[in-house]
């Protein structure tokens, strides 16, 4: 698969570990991961934003592994935050997980389905 991160010089430059666009060619398959919520396999929701964000990324990672993929295959991330005050912590934890990978990204401040959940993350991966 050929993957290119695109950041047009005539538009705002990304800040914080993402690309304005990601182009993929010659891929075999796409995986669309539904919004992953901050709940473990025992239906326990951790307390606090940082713990919930780490749980969400563990859940994303579990879905990728189940599809024989890894975080290196992520090309798009959409994050729904219950409160904009979590923007910095969200970026730090997301960057811890993604490392140097810079997928296309959108962050939305939204009402989340369950009021106990502080975020939800969906991804698109390609191989």
């Amino acid at each position: 698969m050929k993957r290119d991160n695109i950041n047009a010089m005539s538009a705002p430059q990304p800040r914080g570990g993402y690309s304005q666009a990601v182009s993929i060619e010659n891929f075999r398959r796409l995986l669309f991961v539904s919004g992953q919520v901050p709940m473990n396999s025992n239906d326990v929701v951790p307390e606090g934003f940082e713990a919930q964000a780490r749980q969400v990324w563990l859940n994303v990672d579990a879905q990728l592994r189940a599809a024989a993929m890894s975080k290196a295959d992520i090309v798009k991330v959409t994050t729904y935050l219950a409160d904009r005050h979590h923007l910095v912590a969200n970026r730090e934890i997301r960057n811890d997980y993604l490392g140097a990978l810079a997928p296309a990204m959108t962050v939305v401040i939204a009402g989340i389905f369950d009021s106990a959940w502080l975020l939800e993350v969906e991804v698109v991966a390609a191989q």
Side-chain angles (χ1 to χ4, degrees):
M1 177 178 83
K2 181 177 186 258
R3 174 189 181 126
D4 290 312
N5 293 348
I6 299 169
N7 296 296
M9 295 307 295
S10 60
Q13 294 304 295
R15 297 180 184 105
Y18 68 96
S19 296
Q20 293 290 15
V22 175
S23 171
I24 57 172
E25 298 176 31
N26 304 320
F27 58 91
R28 294 176 315 177
R29 67 186 181 129
L30 292 174
L31 176 70
F32 296 87
V33 179
S34 294
Q36 297 298 292
V37 299
M39 182 184 299
N40 67 21
S41 60
N42 296 317
D43 294 338
V44 174
V45 176
E47 293 207 23
F49 182 81
E50 289 81 4
Q52 287 196 19
R54 292 188 196 289
Q55 182 63 58
V56 161
W57 286 108
L58 287 171
N59 294 346
V60 167
D61 208 49
Q63 300 306 331
L64 292 168
R65 280 193 321 273
M69 295 176 116
S70 74
K71 66 183 175 184
D73 298 313
I74 295 173
V75 295
K76 173 73 168 96
V77 175
T78 304
T79 302
Y80 302 91
L81 295 177
D83 189 321
R84 73 182 59 254
H85 293 99
H86 300 303
L87 285 169
V88 172
N90 176 65
R91 180 178 37 229
E92 290 171 355
I93 293 164
R94 182 189 65 229
N95 289 348
D96 282 348
Y97 174 75
L98 293 175
L101 186 66
M105 190 168 308
T106 302
V107 177
V108 179
I109 309 304
I112 308 286
F113 179 77
D114 187 316
S115 62
W117 303 342
L118 301 176
L119 77 162
E120 186 170 343
V121 174
E122 63 184 25
V123 303
V124 177
Q127 282 185 325

